[in-house]
Amino acid sequence: MRKPGATYMPVVNDEVKTMKRPTLRAIAELADVSVSTVSRFLRDDISLRAETEQRIRAAMKHVGYDSAKPLMSGDTTAPPKRLVIGLIIPNSADGYSGTIMDEVVKAAASYDMDVLVTSALESPVQQAKCMQLFASGVANGIITSGQLIAPQLLRSIIAKGVPVIIFDDKFQGDLPVDCVMVDNYSGAYQATSHLIHHGHQQIAFVGGIAELHSTKERLRGWRDALARAGIDPDGQIVRMGEFSEQYGQAILPHLVELTNPPTAVFAASDRIAIGIMMAARQQKVSVPGDLSVVGFDDIEAASLISPRLTTVRTPLATMARNSMKLMVERMADLNGATSDVIVPVALTPGETVAPPMPARSRETQAARS
């Protein structure tokens, strides 16, 4: 009985000799790259490091491949196996994470890859479980958002040969890992400068998880914008918590009840900003009449709420494309130099910023209410 994919030639003594055709998988294994990388190299659809290209060409020569011989995908009894990327988003109920998912799926499709998505539930413990699952053979590579990843976990996953791309933050350890993030510093600087331009000098900073690189950079941008305008950052209100509407709602009463309340808030995420606005409506605090608010991310809800939120736009489509580009490069060369890709951002003006109300007017309004 003939085996599929083999060429049979009669020889003396009725013996049969099998001449196997070269396969993509054989070349990939010899060159220590992925099947997808070999396929795209042969289609002239990828630019590789000179060393990686030399390995592939040497492997092609070793298996006897030339342009007159068709390549097979490996297992001749089944169609070629598509590569799978494991994507871990912070929270599936969050519109921001939903957009990340959509954009990564689109970007992966352009490389003929599939995406499996799971949620970290905004928990480092859950995130670790998801990473371990994907690294067990479920996925060929992992894209994970910027939660707090234990260095030893990341080290063990990379040691297995599974590429990891950090999305929307920077890994704060000594391990070489690719990161794609927005220019958090510039975004915060623009947001704070916008408030200063409208006359605000009492600008609170309300952030998420304090240990995250993105939070630190947004705090740094806020501080530098204030200092450049001659306003002492140390005399301002700083609060840290989590990136959620619930935290924004909880923090608003603490801000407005201060003896010298801020006239504006830079919230380090739109979710926090929207929570602040929800609480302000409940407590009859006018936005932007009593309190100006600027967010960060430009999620869909920012343009749907009233008044429309002024925010910093995060270009998630660009970030997703950069993440997949790095993933393909890392699959081709797991030990190559890593990159930190920083994507520019821009302020998106809305309706939540106005000049501060004079102190006397605020006192009069408070007395009436």
Side-chain angles (χ1 to χ4, degrees), residues 267-275 295-299 302 309-312:
S269 82
D270 285 352
R271 295 180 65 193
I272 295 175
I274 290 170
F296 200 117
D297 290 331
D298 196 19
I299 63 176
L309 180 63
T310 296
T311 183
V312 176

Side-chain angles (χ1 to χ4, degrees), residues 228-255:
R228 184 171 183 178
I231 303 170
D232 181 11
D234 294 330
Q236 306 294 319
I237 304 300
V238 175
R239 296 290 183 270
M240 298 291 188
E242 60 184 31
F243 293 115
S244 69
E245 291 88 348
Q246 292 77 14
Y247 177 62
Q249 287 180 290
I251 202 67
L252 186 277
H254 297 283
L255 298 177

Side-chain angles (χ1 to χ4, degrees), residues 31 33 37 48-57 332-333:
V33 298
T37 297
L48 298 174
R49 302 174 191 272
E51 180 186 355
T52 305
E53 181 175 335
Q54 289 172 4
R55 293 206 311 269
I56 293 177
R57 291 191 183 280
D333 188 0

Side-chain angles (χ1 to χ4, degrees), residues 69-90:
K69 294 182 180 181
L71 275 170
M72 300 184 67
S73 62
D75 182 359
T76 60
T77 63
K81 189 175 181 180
R82 289 169 64 92
L83 295 175
V84 174
I85 303 302
L87 173 64
I88 305 171
I89 57 177

Side-chain angles (χ1 to χ4, degrees), residues 103-157:
E103 296 299 341
V104 170
V105 169
K106 290 177 190 176
S110 68
Y111 291 97
D112 293 326
M113 296 185 190
D114 295 318
V115 179
L116 289 177
V117 185
T118 187
S119 171
L121 302 176
E122 298 184 343
S123 162
V125 174
Q126 180 64 21
Q127 183 185 30
K129 291 179 180 178
C130 295
M131 293 183 71
Q132 289 169 332
L133 172 63
F134 283 144
S136 68
V138 174
N140 304 96
I142 299 171
I143 296 176
T144 182
S145 60
Q147 295 282 353
L148 304 175
I149 305 171
Q152 59 270 27
L153 171 63
L154 190 56
R155 183 179 288 106
S156 67
I157 290 175

